[in-house]
Amino acid sequence: MPTDLSIDLSLTVDRVENITREEFQEKYMIPQKPVIIKHMYGKDAQVYQWSFDYFAKELGHIEVGVFDDESEERKDDRSYKSAGKKMKFREYLELIQEKPTTKRLFLFNVFKHKKELHQHFKFPKIADKVVEFLPLAFFGGQGAITRIHRDMDNSCVFLTELVGYKRVVMFAPEYSKKLYQYPFSTHTSIDVNNPDFEKYPELARVQGYDCVIGPGDTIFMPAGYWHHIEYNTAGLGFAVRSLSPHISDRLLGFWQVGIMTHLDEIFNKVLGDKWFNWKKKAAAKRALQ
């Protein structure tokens, strides 16, 4: 099979504004379907006024951990545990605005350093069991990429873009095997932009979503959805999570966070490359099922 084909990303994401709880629950939360909501927190919410300059002024003095796929050893079957570089937050913000860079901050708890930021927004009552106390911020320069993965806790995610534009590619969890998910992991080695159909032929049977979010947009990513994110420009956003309405999703999240990832670390330490090689073979075999 030729290697210059693209993955089918023809599914479209609905875009809505002023959606009611009843509409959201019926059309998106219960069926677990993605949607982009404009000004979900209300047009006048202070959170939409956040900017690079604001954070440089308020938190520029703190030291942050920066991740960079180009300068760090990539481990396709697991997440980074710690950032490879430290720098002042102000310097990092200046860097991503100055030129394209793959350096990013993710899962960054800005609220830990400035608690009053919680007062800048209140989550609308469209979802239940929302983890409002722990929103996490994401910063990146043009060209930075968050490689495709599923979130370990298997929660639903409301990702809000405040500055810049991001490309978001998503796949439903039903395609996990066809995406060559590694056992004991929520990762895969496929490259969304340059898929190798000779090495991963089952990608031809996958169908996904491809969209762009900009300032004021919140994208709802249902539990277990695979997502690949690219910074089309320097960007700033944050995510709030909620538990899935389906108990099966919650149980899977408990297994992945509480048991699976720890077993994976143990086997990786004991078996080393043999463990990763087994996972690659198992992923290829499962894709054909």
Side-chain angles (χ1 to χ4, degrees), residues 37-54:
I37 306 171
K38 188 70 173 179
H39 293 131
M40 187 182 75
Y41 294 99
K43 288 185 178 180
D44 297 326
Q46 282 183 278
V47 69
Y48 296 123
Q49 299 174 22
W50 290 4
S51 66
F52 293 134
D53 288 343
Y54 173 80

Side-chain angles (χ1 to χ4, degrees), residues 72-84:
E72 298 171 29
E73 180 185 0
R74 174 169 164 160
K75 300 175 181 178
D76 286 354
D77 62 329
R78 68 196 96 132
S79 301
Y80 292 123
K81 297 298 182 181
S82 60

